[in-house]
Each structure stands twice: as C-alpha cells, then as structure tokens.
Amino acid sequence: MRTWTLRGTTTSYVVGVPDHGQWAQLVAWGPHDGLAPVVVAGTEHFVPRADVEPLEYAVRGIRYTVPVDLVVSGPGGSDELRPTLTNSTQPPQRLELEFVDEVRAVRIVLHYRMVGDVVERWVAVRNDGPDELVLHRHDSAGFVVPGGNTVKYLWGEWNSEFQQASVTLPRGRFTIGSAQGITGHSYSPYLVVDDDVAYGVQLAWSGSWEMSADVDTTGLVRIQAGRTSSSLGITLKPGGTWVSPKAVGACSAEGTDGLARVIHDYERAASRKRVPKVLYNSWFATEFEIRADHQLELARRAAGIGVETFVVDDGWFVGRSDDTGGLGDWEVDPAKFPGGLDAFIGQLKEIGLDFGLWVEPESVSPTSQLAREHPEWILRTPGRDPILIRNQLLLDLSRDDVAEFIWSTLDRLLSTYDISYLKWDANRPRLDSGDQRRDLDGRVVGNLYRILEKLRDRHPEVSVEGCAGGGARVDLAMASRVDTLWPSDNTAPLDRLRIQEGFRTGFAPHLMSSWVTDAEGTHDGRERSFDFRFHVAMAGVLGIGADLSRWTDDQLKTAARHIEQYKGFRELIAESKVYGLSAGVQYVGADRSVVFLWETGDGNMRGTLPTRPRQVPLAGVDPAKNYRVGNETYPGSYLLQVGIPFDGPADSHCLVVEQLD
Ligand code: DGJ
C-alpha cells in the first residue's frame, strides 16, 4: 500500500491506496503521539472487499452494499464506475489523488488540504468522454472515524436553533440535512462522534445538503457529507468538471469542547481580523415603524452608553410598512426619512455613530415594482404559481441578470451612502424546484458566494452580518464570507444561552452576534438579571436590541459600564481559546482570561435550603503560575482543581483572570 501523511499542528491524517489502486482508504487519523491504524481484520462474506474497508471516497462500481459517495450514470443505463489511481501529487500540506475510469473516461480527483488540525476535503469530477453524464450522488467526502459510536448533532427551528442532541448507533445509519435551498433552521451541517477522542465533520455549503453517520457491521463509523442530489441529478457535459464544496474534518483528544477550539482556530484563520464593534439594532424596538426622528432618539441613547454602530433594520425602504411589501424596491422611503438617508447618517456621525443597514437582497414582494417589471426573475416551477412564504417570493439567483441586479443594488447603496455595516437577511427557504435539469442549488449558492466575495473586495470597509430569519444560514461557507452570523431571533436570557452553547460547538465567538434585549423566553421564561443578560451577549459580538427609551437611568448607567468593560476585552474574546466550564465559559488569551458564570438552574439563590458552596474549576491556566481574580490571588493549580466560588445572590459574573508571573 502507498501512503501519504498530512501532518497538522497536533494531529495527522494518513491516507493509503492499496496496490490494486482501486480506492483510497484511511490508514490512521489522530494525535501525532496516539496514531492507531484503522484495520479491518478477517474475511468478508458475500460482499466485495471495498464494502468493508475504510474507504475515503466510495464510488458505485467499486463499493455496492454499503453507502457510496458518488453515483454517475451515462448512456446505456449503467451507473457504475471502476476508476483506478493514475496520479498523486503532494504539495506542502496538500494531497491530490487522481483516479480514472477508462471505460467512461471519468477523472475523479480527491483533494486534501491540512489547515492547522483541520483536514479540508473536496472532489472534482471531470468528464473526458464524448457522452453526457449525470451525477446522482455527489458527496464532498467520506470521513472514517477510528472510534466511538455516540453521534452528536445540532437541531433546531426558528427561535430555537443550535440545540445539542446525540444518538448512540451500535450499527446503522443516522442522517440529517436540509431540503430548503438554505442551510436551514432544522439542522447544522455538523456531526461529531465523541467517545474518547472527538471527531467532527462540517460541510461548507449554504444550499441543500445531507450528512450521514453510518456504523457498518464491523462497528466502524463513516460520516458522509455533501450537497443533496436533485431528482434529475447534475448533468456533466463532455469536457466539463464538477467541483464539490469543501467538507472539513478535525479531531481532538479533549472531546467536543476541544474540537470546537480546533474549528474556531480554522474559522478565525479564514476570517477578516476586525475589532468587534458594539452595535445597536432597532428591529426589536421599532420593527417596521421606522421614523428618522425616533431612530435618532434611540441613537442618542445608544451613543450615550458607548454603542459604536447604529443599524436600521427592516422597514427603511419604499412599500415596507409590514412584511407584505417592498422587497426588491431598494429605495429609501422619503416618508420615513424626510430629510433623506444622507442627512440621517450625518446626524449619526455627529454623535459618533457609524451607520448600518438591513437588506434582504434575494427576496421579492409580489406587490413590488420589481415583481411587476421583471416577472421572469421570480423563481418558480414552470407552469405553477410560486410558493409564498412570509408573504414573499425569491428571485431566481441562478440567473446571471438577477445576480447582477443584486450586486448593483448593493453596490449602489454602499457607494451612495456612508454605510459601515450591512445585515444580509434571508427570510424564507427555497422550495420551488424550478427546472430540475439545471443545477439550481449549485448556481444560486455559487452566485450568492460570488456576490459576497465581491462585496468584500469592492467595499472592504463594510462589515457584513449574515442572518436568515434567525440562524438559518450558519455554516462554514458563510463563516468565511461574512464577519458575523446571527444565531437566532431568540434573545431571551436562558433560551439564548442554550442556543449560544450549541453555536459555540461549531462556530467561533468572533462570529457570534448577540444582543441584549428585553425579550421574554420562548422555552424558559424565568427572569434573569440585567447583568446576566449583558454577560450572555458579551460572550460574543455585543449588540443592543432593546427599546432604549424604556431603560431607566440606572439601567443605562449599568449598560454603559458593561459596554466599557466589554471594550476592554473584546479582542481577547474574538481571538481566544474557549473552554466550557461547569457553570459558564472561559475565554483564554495569552496572559488573561475572561470568565462568565451563569446560574441557569432554579438553584438556591436565596439560601433557603442547605447547600454546599459551589466552586467552578477553571481551564487553560498554567498550574505553576499565580493568577489574580478580582482582589484575590490564586495558584493556577488551585484554579484548575478547586476553582472560583460562585454563590448567590448574583445570578452571573464576569471575571477577568490575570496571570501574575
Ligand atoms: C429576521 C431577522 O432574524 C430579524 O433579526 C429581523 O431582521 C427580521 N428578519 C426583519 O424582517
């Protein structure tokens, strides 16, 4: 067997191709000093050998009775390929393995890239033959997981995204995905197998997708990740190449929490380095009832407590007095901004605020002028009425003229007005299938990515927040193209905390947009203190979304104090290693940590029952060094083993832990 090693910071990924050259298989994956080979001993019965080996990429025609990653049909009705290795190249931190099926003249290249401890994988399929081919299944990768059968995943719905759950799979298959043309509220493209060492896979795709964990009869887990096939598949013309999105895999000997740290590093490396600015967003305060003078009133209060960017959300454009109209007609409503948007922005600047604007460029209201002028731009299945969701339709972003319209709309807004921040929303799934002979999902998502990339390129000073009716478009592909992501419309303290804990397992704190509001919980309505609510939002990119005219002077003063404290450590939050604690979370920087502790149970805050004092052991400190926490000094070893006290009456704490020597 020929083998190739991708050596990461602390882990290695070893791929081999047996002498017959028919497939690549996983040889080992794990920490450098704990690499155990993945071996399948014994004899297979009634199945080909490929069906029991730990295949890296399983092609129908090589593998038959267990799940495959690629199914390609051609003329004559066959859907089998029998490729063999023809070439391999290994530039630094990369690997390319090329397999060719001589009969069909199909070339399959498996691509690998090691970034930190993350293995990026994708596949390119090229049709070198004379006939049209159809890809019916087209995964990005299959990741064999050397051990474990507890499969963790994130499920959700609107207002309740990123809920953590797990299944134990002694044998069999577990599948999640989205058929919504968008990443979706229902599941995150994320699966983790966590027993001793945690292995995780994420898919960088913002359209429809599917991920499965399959435990075969030998007990080996294999995770497949890829775009969902449409019922007619993807057509590959002679000479054409299809490239899958990336799937990434990583492992950590420190379980799911450690795996998140590996992924966070990877996401940070793919992000622009920005100081997370404190923003105010008017949505929860005013919804569609936007009036420039009232917005300014809110802005003055926001500026007074230290906010830096004022974002006007939905409702600023013509025809948008509720969610039934306006989308597509991206002109400032003169009734709402009688002096014009420029004058409004000028007034914000005078009080020291930058300006941000909400847009939902992919959608169109049926009553809009755009819908009347360009009915052909509306996505529909031929011969059928388009499906209306939240009173809106989608533009057919697979069309280049629509992509050009969206780009030029954004470019015009950003070039006309002094805009520093864009909140890009998307409030419905893509359900209309259009003409199934086209790769609608691929074209729409490809155009979306091209616009986001051009936005970065042409307007680099503008920060972009990705939002989709809450957290329906949170994935690695978006994480590398926007600056922050909105996890959920649920901002109530205890609900939000749970959502953020799930978010953190796959997405880094510099991406996590989080606002303080006065919202009541959907799931857990128990009240929490003002400090608690701030501390939850300070654990990410802090924003304020409450109606500030309702906050008392005392609350405004407390808010100002929290914002000032946040500004003192926000870069640490954005760049740190994050550790989950028994009652909170710790952001560990070079010589400082920020610790948030939250009382989430119904507890014994008033001390009316006998309880033992609670201590919260910390993480990520050096046992041989001393640390200051508030007015106390502790040895690192004590902080790691015993921890810091956390008892009532406060229901949350924000502590800075400073290394002394
Ligand atoms: C859904 C978003 O998640 C909200 O924050 C808000 O922007 C509304 N859309 C506006 O319609």
Side-chain angles (χ1 to χ4, degrees):
M1 164 130 59
R2 277 185 74 185
T3 62
W4 297 264
T5 298
L6 290 148
R7 196 175 159 83
T9 318
T10 62
T11 56
S12 292
Y13 191 91
V14 188
V15 182
V17 175
D19 295 340
H20 55 60
Q22 289 188 348
W23 63 73
Q25 66 185 65
L26 183 73
V27 175
W29 183 18
H32 296 324
D33 50 6
L35 261 190
V38 177
V39 177
V40 180
T43 312
E44 70 281 4
H45 299 281
F46 307 112
V47 294
R49 187 69 194 170
D51 290 22
V52 295
E53 290 290 348
L55 261 54
E56 282 286 281
Y57 199 70
V59 176
R60 174 153 177 86
I62 293 286
R63 172 175 266 193
Y64 286 91
T65 62
V66 282
V68 295
D69 308 312
L70 184 71
V71 180
V72 180
S73 73
S78 158
D79 64 0
E80 295 173 26
L81 296 176
R82 213 152 290 169
T84 47
L85 185 74
T86 46
N87 202 1
S88 69
T89 43
Q90 193 171 26
Q93 299 306 102
R94 297 183 74 133
L95 173 64
E96 282 163 25
L97 299 176
E98 181 194 77
F99 294 80
V100 173
D101 175 280
E102 299 289 354
V103 173
R104 279 265 143 78
V106 175
R107 188 177 304 261
I108 301 162
V109 182
L110 308 187
H111 291 267
Y112 296 82
R113 190 165 83 111
M114 194 83 178
V115 185
D117 274 321
V118 169
V119 189
E120 288 183 339
R121 292 187 52 192
W122 69 101
V123 63
V125 182
R126 183 179 160 81
N127 180 0
D128 283 330
D131 303 306
E132 212 166 71
L133 301 173
V134 180
L135 312 188
H136 298 277
R137 177 160 189 124
H138 35 70
D139 286 332
S140 297
F143 280 93
V144 173
V145 174
N149 62 7
T150 305
V151 181
K152 296 184 171 177
Y153 61 103
L154 297 167
W155 68 275
E157 55 190 313
W158 174 77
N159 232 27
S160 186
E161 297 86 339
F162 303 102
Q163 303 299 311
Q164 300 182 67
S166 66
V167 286
T168 305
L169 275 185
R171 295 291 185 276
R173 191 166 172 78
F174 173 73
T175 302
I176 55 171
S178 159
Q180 306 177 18
I182 192 160
T183 325
H185 293 102
S186 315
Y187 300 99
S188 287
Y190 157 105
L191 283 178
V192 169
V193 179
D194 183 1
D195 284 272
D196 288 332
V197 177
Y199 289 86
V201 176
Q202 291 198 45
L203 181 69
W205 188 247
S206 316
S208 295
W209 58 274
E210 193 178 288
M211 287 179 73
S212 303
D214 190 88
V215 186
D216 72 10
T217 51
T218 71
L220 200 65
V221 190
R222 190 167 184 277
I223 295 176
Q224 293 173 281
R227 291 181 44 197
T228 315
S229 304
S230 79
S231 46
L232 293 187
I234 293 176
T235 304
L236 194 56
K237 294 206 166 9
T241 302
W242 179 82
V243 182
S244 78
K246 281 180 186 161
V248 311
C251 67
S252 167
E254 295 171 18
T256 307
D257 205 52
L259 183 67
R261 290 188 282 279
V262 175
I263 291 289
H264 293 175
D265 282 346
Y266 172 75
E267 290 163 348
R268 252 190 303 271
S271 297
R272 298 194 282 197
K273 197 170 153 54
R274 300 240 142 155
V275 177
K277 294 285 175 67
V278 180
L279 66 77
Y280 178 84
N281 181 300
S282 60
W283 174 247
F284 286 118
T286 60
E287 294 206 344
F288 299 100
E289 301 291 317
I290 291 182
R291 280 184 291 109
D293 52 352
H294 183 218
Q295 297 285 308
L296 266 177
E297 229 176 275
L298 292 168
R300 281 194 198 96
R301 285 177 169 250
I305 59 174
V307 163
E308 295 157 301
T309 306
F310 186 88
V311 183
V312 174
D313 209 277
D314 198 350
W316 57 268
F317 45 103
V318 288
R320 193 69 170 167
S321 46
D322 54 30
D323 67 13
T324 61
L327 295 171
D329 299 341
W330 301 105
E331 298 296 337
V332 178
D333 187 342
K336 293 180 174 172
F337 293 91
L341 191 59
D342 259 336
F344 177 76
I345 298 173
Q347 284 164 307
L348 291 181
K349 294 273 169 191
E350 274 169 28
I351 55 173
L353 292 174
D354 284 335
F355 174 66
L357 194 64
W358 176 97
V359 285
E360 188 177 353
E362 297 145 276
S363 287
V364 57
S365 303
T367 53
S368 65
Q369 195 179 326
L370 183 72
R372 278 195 302 280
E373 281 173 6
H374 286 289
E376 77 284 9
W377 283 5
I378 292 173
L379 178 65
R380 66 180 79 227
T381 299
R384 310 220 179 253
D385 286 337
I387 299 163
L388 198 66
I389 302 256
R390 204 202 187 202
N391 299 308
Q392 65 197 57
L393 301 170
L394 284 174
L395 293 174
D396 182 353
L397 184 49
S398 71
R399 294 172 59 121
D400 290 340
D401 48 5
V402 169
E404 180 48 35
F405 165 77
I406 292 179
W407 162 251
S408 56
T409 301
L410 295 173
D411 188 40
R412 171 177 57 80
L413 287 169
L414 297 177
S415 310
T416 310
Y417 303 107
D418 189 354
I419 297 173
S420 311
Y421 190 95
L422 202 63
K423 175 174 169 186
W424 184 316
D425 204 350
N427 282 297
R428 55 158 296 167
R430 173 162 36 84
L431 305 175
D432 308 79
S433 58
D435 179 343
Q436 285 283 291
R437 287 166 302 182
R438 303 161 70 233
D439 175 17
L440 182 75
D441 197 57
R443 286 168 187 243
V444 168
V445 177
N447 273 337
L448 169 72
Y449 292 163
R450 273 185 284 280
I451 297 170
L452 286 168
E453 284 156 15
K454 205 159 155 187
L455 208 55
R456 274 201 163 182
D457 188 47
R458 305 281 173 83
H459 298 280
E461 69 293 348
V462 179
S463 295
V464 181
E465 175 178 11
C467 169
R473 196 150 62 187
V474 174
D475 57 68
L476 286 184
M478 288 302 284
S480 65
R481 290 175 175 87
V482 298
D483 298 289
T484 56
L485 291 161
W486 179 237
S488 177
D489 282 341
N490 192 334
T491 52
L494 289 163
D495 287 355
R496 182 67 174 205
L497 191 56
R498 205 156 81 177
I499 290 166
Q500 292 190 177
E501 276 170 5
F503 184 97
R504 178 167 63 82
T505 62
F507 300 94
H510 73 278
L511 294 165
M512 192 174 74
S513 175
S514 191
W515 310 341
V516 182
T517 71
D518 294 322
E520 285 168 16
T522 308
H523 300 287
D524 192 337
R526 286 173 301 158
E527 277 188 22
R528 281 298 179 266
S529 69
F530 198 63
D531 290 347
F532 185 110
R533 283 147 55 193
F534 256 94
H535 291 157
V536 170
M538 287 159 73
V541 178
L542 173 63
I544 313 290
D547 182 350
L548 291 182
S549 57
R550 289 169 189 266
W551 279 9
T552 62
D553 285 349
D554 267 359
Q555 282 180 311
L556 290 168
K557 266 190 216 130
T558 309
R561 187 168 47 74
H562 284 306
I563 291 174
E564 200 188 331
Q565 186 186 26
Y566 176 72
K567 287 178 181 169
F569 56 56
R570 58 182 161 185
E571 279 154 291
L572 186 152
I573 299 248
E575 286 159 24
S576 60
K577 296 240 178 256
V578 192
Y579 290 82
L581 305 176
S582 57
V585 69
Q586 182 176 355
Y587 296 80
V588 178
D591 48 16
R592 266 187 336 150
S593 286
V594 177
V595 175
F596 294 104
L597 300 179
W598 294 289
E599 168 55 60
T600 54
D602 31 26
N604 181 27
M605 305 295 292
R606 291 200 300 271
T608 49
L609 295 171
T611 46
R612 285 168 42 73
R614 180 165 46 171
Q615 296 284 139
V616 182
L618 299 188
V621 293
D622 184 339
K625 302 228 155 102
N626 288 310
Y627 292 84
R628 186 172 17 246
V629 186
N631 297 326
E632 307 287 332
T633 301
Y634 300 95
S637 53
Y638 181 90
L639 290 177
L640 288 171
Q641 283 163 33
V642 182
I644 48 178
F646 180 29
D647 281 309
D651 60 5
S652 82
H653 288 294
C654 168
L655 304 164
V656 176
V657 178
E658 268 174 288
Q659 188 181 303
L660 291 178
D661 40 47

